[in-house]
Amino acid sequence: QVQLVESGGGSVQSGGSLRLSCVASRTTYSRLWMGWFRQAPGKEREGVAAINARGMSGYSNSVKGRFTISQANDKSTLYLQMDSLRPEDTAMYYCAAAYAESYVIPSLRASDYPYWGQGTQVTVSS
């Protein structure tokens, strides 16, 4: 059982930056995919970025070049640096984890991730 706790959300003006953090516990980090997902009101949950234990990462087209996913050296903490934020980035952001192979770029499909945090709200005003 993986436990995930997010932090770092908040309100920012368009063009601003935020950094989200997610602490993972009770797990074997060497076999984890970890990802960030978001869900806006009335919309489906979408994958934003994901990374595996080897550091291989993937991004959705909507955030590529603006967001950066990373993890601590011991893999216990996941980060999402969000720059050049836009109003359409407003959503609840969730950290998720899955036990999976570390030699492929991790999936951005929410259904591939069984473990989820409670979420942290990000609001971007114009």
Side-chain angles (χ1 to χ4, degrees), residues 50-93:
I51 191 168
N52 65 20
R54 293 190 179 204
M56 300 170 68
S57 60
Y59 296 87
S60 69
N61 288 334
S62 61
V63 306
K64 199 172 294 183
R66 300 188 298 123
F67 291 10
T68 304
I69 191 170
S70 63
Q71 53 194 1
N73 288 339
D74 64 0
K75 310 294 190 293
S76 64
T77 305
L78 180 72
Y79 304 101
L80 184 67
Q81 178 66 41
M82 305 185 292
D83 298 319
S84 302
L85 282 161
R86 305 167 180 168
E88 54 264 39
D89 295 318
T90 295
M92 185 70 78
Y93 282 71

Side-chain angles (χ1 to χ4, degrees), residues 10-18 83-87 89 123-126:
S11 297
V12 65
Q13 289 192 326
S14 182
S17 299
L18 283 173
D83 298 319
S84 302
L85 282 161
R86 305 167 180 168
D89 295 318
T123 302
V124 185
S125 58
S126 57

